[in-house]
């Protein structure tokens, strides 16, 4: 068993860190957070410099960590334009990949993944948006989606909606389908949401579908399997959310360590030493679970229990680290990036499955496994 990363990944870590330290200047971090604007020009630079490598999953994981370590809001905005692309990669046919995946990977189009609705957040089976099948095989989409990342800037969204009736209370997750919707199509409208707690440099919106005609060619995978496809996607995305949270925790540790290096009175306090030791230990634990879960996923053999453990524990570690670092550094911390990182960290406990949902998944799957052993 070898716990060290290959040299090329360690090298990539340095390249991404140098990019983030250069491009995420303090005034930019503050500007995009305060104005809740998407940083198009920083994303463009990241694409030009080949910062995101979607062809190598480990490379992507390390890159996310290093971007979020310097600034979660700006880091997310570089990564988010690809959000949901795995659905097209895994389910799309050649034409769909050529038309909708390749331009996203080249950085020419922005995409999003629309699952959440005003009445269906954690409860994905509660989705009410409807895809009504027409005699020619196309669909008419009606409904609304909430908290959609890139909602107002995306060119296309992968949308999960109900394509048939709810068979029974136990089978609420049946009869959902996944389709690709272009946001320029008639009937698609968006409302940008302002004032969210964290990740403010990212775009979040309500998306409304009013009699949107979706050609049959835009169905992803098989009709009726949308719920299972979405769960499969979350098994992938939760690993990346865990990496985001580890990056944030590492960034908080960097700030407190930097202060300890400069301020002898601060570093000589036992409280400071305990805080640094505790945060560093939790980061190590979160990274180990995440890398273990990632190693199963990247070999196409995901372990949903480990994945949920990674997302749950890393997200809590991000919040823990930023909160403890804020407490330890006092006014200094409140006036630095820590204040923003604390707000950003909390979001990781909500999206892609809240901490409670991860705990329920861990419990249920663990019990199932133990009962069958
Ligand atoms: C910044 C941001 C960006 C987002 N981007 C996207 C996006 O691009 N696409 C998308 O589809 N969604 C997106 N979301 C939505 C996100 O995935 C949901 O917020 C999340 O799934 C939780 O749903 P909810 O907010 O409706 O909360 P709810 O589901 O209403 O949950 C509220 C609380 O109740 C708890 N809870 C719910 N059910 C249970 C249960 N059975 N047992 C115990 N506790 C429970 C939850 O843990 C939580 O604490 C985004 C959210 C945010 C904040």
């Amino acid at each position: 068993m070898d716990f060290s990363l290959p040299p090329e990944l360690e090298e990539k870590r340095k390249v991404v860190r140098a990019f983030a330290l250069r491009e995420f200047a303090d005034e930019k971090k503050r500007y995009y957070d305060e104005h809740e604007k998407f940083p198009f020009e920083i994303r463009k630079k990241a694409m030009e410099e080949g910062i995101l490598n979607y062809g190598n999953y480990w490379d992507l994981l390390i890159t996310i960590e290093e971007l979020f370590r310097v600034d979660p809001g700006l880091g997310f905005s570089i990564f988010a334009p690809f959000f949901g692309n795995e659905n097209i990669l895994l389910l799309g046919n050649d034409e769909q990949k050529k038309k909708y995946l390749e331009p996203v990977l080249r950085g020419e189009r922005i995409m999003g993944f629309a699952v959440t609705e005003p009445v269906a957040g954690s409860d994905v089976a509660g989705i009410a948006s409807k895809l009504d099948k027409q005699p020619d095989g196309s669909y008419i989409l009606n409904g609304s989606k909430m908290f959609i990342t890139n909602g107002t800037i995306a060119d296309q969204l992968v949308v999960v909606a109900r394509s048939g009736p709810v068979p029974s209370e136990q089978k609420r997750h049946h009869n959902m389908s996944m389709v690709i919707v272009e946001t320029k199509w008639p009937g698609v409208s968006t409302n940008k949401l302002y004032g969210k707690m964290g990740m403010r440099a990212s775009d979040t919106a309500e998306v409304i579908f009013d009699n949107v005609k979706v050609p049959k060619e835009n169905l992803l995978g098989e009709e009726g399997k949308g719920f299972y496809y979405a769960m499969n996607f979350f098994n992938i995305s939760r690993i990346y959310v865990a990496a985001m949270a580890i990056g944030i925790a590492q960034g908080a540790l960097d700030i407190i360590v930097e202060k300890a290096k400069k301020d002898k009175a601060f570093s000589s306090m036992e409280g400071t030493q305990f805080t640094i030791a505790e945060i560093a230990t939790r980061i190590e634990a979160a990274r180990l679970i995440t890398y273990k879960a990632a190693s199963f996923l990247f070999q196409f053999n995901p372990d949903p229990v480990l994945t949920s453990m990674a997302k749950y524990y890393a997200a809590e570690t991000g919040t823990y680290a930023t909160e403890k670092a804020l407490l330890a550094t006092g006014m200094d911390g409140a006036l630095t990036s820590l204040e923003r990182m604390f707000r950003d960290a909390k979001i990781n406990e909500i999206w892609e499955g809240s901490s409670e949902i991860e705990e329920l998944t861990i419990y249920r799957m663990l019990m199932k496994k133990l009962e069958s052993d």
Side-chain angles (χ1 to χ4, degrees):
M1 198 173 292
D2 183 2
F3 285 96
S4 56
L5 285 176
E8 62 274 18
L9 285 181
E10 290 297 0
E11 198 45 45
K12 181 66 189 289
R13 209 187 256 292
K14 287 185 199 151
V15 170
V16 180
R17 179 150 177 79
F19 173 88
L21 289 172
R22 172 169 37 92
E23 297 300 331
F24 300 177
D26 278 347
E27 61 277 10
K28 286 193 184 168
K29 295 179 194 173
R30 260 197 308 274
Y31 176 84
Y32 288 106
D33 179 72
E34 273 173 25
H35 293 83
E36 303 191 42
K37 273 193 167 175
F38 183 86
F40 284 101
E41 87 282 8
I42 300 180
R43 160 179 152 79
K44 190 165 170 268
K45 272 207 172 130
M47 291 308 294
E48 281 164 3
E49 294 188 27
I51 291 297
L52 283 191
N53 177 1
Y54 253 94
N56 180 329
Y57 302 126
W58 282 108
D59 187 306
L60 194 58
L61 196 85
I62 304 300
T63 300
I64 290 171
E65 261 186 50
E66 291 305 322
L67 292 174
F68 277 68
R69 179 178 176 182
V70 182
D71 190 70
L74 295 178
F76 184 58
S77 297
I78 289 176
F79 172 66
F82 302 86
F83 186 53
N85 82 82
E86 292 84 353
N87 293 303
I88 309 180
L89 180 74
L90 293 174
L91 304 164
N93 56 36
D94 289 350
E95 269 160 44
Q96 289 169 333
K97 284 181 186 164
K98 198 165 175 351
K99 187 169 177 189
Y100 293 114
L101 180 63
E102 290 175 15
V104 168
L105 297 183
R106 287 196 300 267
E108 296 159 9
R109 288 171 79 96
I110 291 180
M111 68 174 294
F113 186 36
V115 181
T116 307
E117 298 187 356
V119 293
S122 305
D123 180 24
V124 176
I127 280 177
S129 291
K130 277 206 177 109
L131 281 162
D132 282 319
K133 198 161 188 173
Q134 305 301 296
D136 64 357
S138 67
Y139 301 91
I140 299 294
L141 173 62
N142 278 292
S144 73
K145 294 288 177 182
M146 201 40 137
F147 304 130
I148 303 309
T149 297
N150 303 328
T152 70
I153 59 169
D155 300 286
Q156 64 201 39
L157 298 169
V158 170
V159 178
V160 181
R162 199 160 276 293
S163 51
V166 179
S168 66
E169 187 53 27
Q170 287 75 32
K171 294 183 177 172
R172 290 162 70 236
H173 56 296
H174 286 210
N175 284 341
M176 289 187 199
S177 296
M178 212 178 242
V179 289
I180 306 170
V181 175
E182 295 187 28
T183 52
K184 65 173 191 295
W185 286 348
V188 181
S189 60
T190 59
N191 293 314
K192 183 172 163 91
L193 302 172
Y194 288 94
K196 62 183 186 282
M197 182 184 186
M199 306 286 183
R200 288 184 171 200
S202 70
D203 180 83
T204 314
E206 175 190 22
V207 183
I208 298 156
F209 304 110
D210 181 12
N211 284 322
V212 178
K213 189 170 165 73
V214 181
K216 62 174 187 281
E217 293 76 25
N218 280 36
L219 175 72
L220 273 173
E222 287 177 44
E223 192 178 273
K225 295 203 170 162
F227 179 87
Y228 301 101
Y229 295 153
M231 293 303 122
N232 197 33
F233 171 80
F234 292 137
N235 262 330
I236 301 170
S237 64
R238 284 172 184 168
I239 298 285
Y240 294 124
V241 174
M244 295 176 194
I246 292 167
I248 296 176
Q250 186 70 56
L253 184 64
D254 291 343
I255 292 172
I256 187 169
V257 164
E258 207 45 48
K259 183 171 162 68
K261 282 201 285 195
K262 287 188 198 140
D263 182 343
K264 282 279 159 258
F266 178 65
S267 62
S268 62
M269 285 192 292
E270 258 192 359
T272 303
Q273 295 164 11
F274 287 153
T275 301
I276 290 177
E278 186 71 42
I279 295 174
T281 307
R282 290 187 191 217
I283 291 173
E284 196 61 28
R287 201 173 262 135
L288 277 176
I289 310 177
T290 302
Y291 287 13
K292 185 174 177 186
S295 76
F296 283 105
L297 175 71
F298 298 162
Q299 292 174 69
F300 303 100
N301 183 26
D303 179 333
V305 175
L306 264 181
T307 301
S308 286
M309 285 177 174
K311 198 282 188 180
Y312 161 69
Y313 188 72
E316 302 241 319
T317 299
T319 303
Y320 177 89
T322 48
E323 187 184 353
K324 289 288 172 191
L326 257 180
L327 274 177
T329 53
M331 280 312 290
D332 276 356
L335 291 171
T336 66
S337 304
L338 267 177
E339 174 273 332
R340 197 173 44 251
M341 288 176 114
F342 176 63
R343 289 189 279 112
D344 292 337
K346 201 69 195 165
I347 303 287
N348 284 327
E349 290 184 65
I350 301 171
W351 59 17
E352 305 300 296
S354 68
S355 289
E356 285 87 355
I357 296 302
E358 301 306 340
E359 286 179 294
L360 284 177
T361 306
I362 296 164
Y363 170 77
R364 286 178 187 153
M365 294 207 143
L366 215 54
M367 290 305 281
K368 217 164 148 186
K369 188 164 174 273
L370 293 177
E371 277 162 12
S372 67
D373 275 352

